[in-house]
Amino acid sequence: MKISQKIRDEHGNGSSAVATDFDADALAGMQAKSEEFKAQGNKVYLPLAD
């Protein structure tokens, strides 16, 4: 418990994270993959190609 508290004191608890350009790029990439998944029929297991 002391170690966890020390880490939170030194690095924050994650709730005050600063948004970066990387975050926006990552979110845009995840949105694109989500749309690709929907276009394929929202199926996790696809049939094997012959």
Side-chain angles (χ1 to χ4, degrees):
M1 296 303 238
K2 250 184 173 178
I3 293 171
S4 298
Q5 185 60 46
K6 185 176 178 181
I7 291 170
R8 282 192 293 273
D9 291 344
E10 291 178 8
H11 303 284
N13 61 4
S15 64
S16 61
V18 177
T20 63
D21 290 337
F22 175 78
D23 294 338
D25 291 342
L27 290 173
M30 287 188 280
Q31 182 64 35
K33 279 296 185 183
S34 178
E35 291 170 10
E36 180 183 335
F37 181 71
K38 288 177 188 174
Q40 293 178 351
N42 291 332
K43 295 181 182 176
V44 176
Y45 298 104
L46 299 175
L48 297 175
D50 291 330

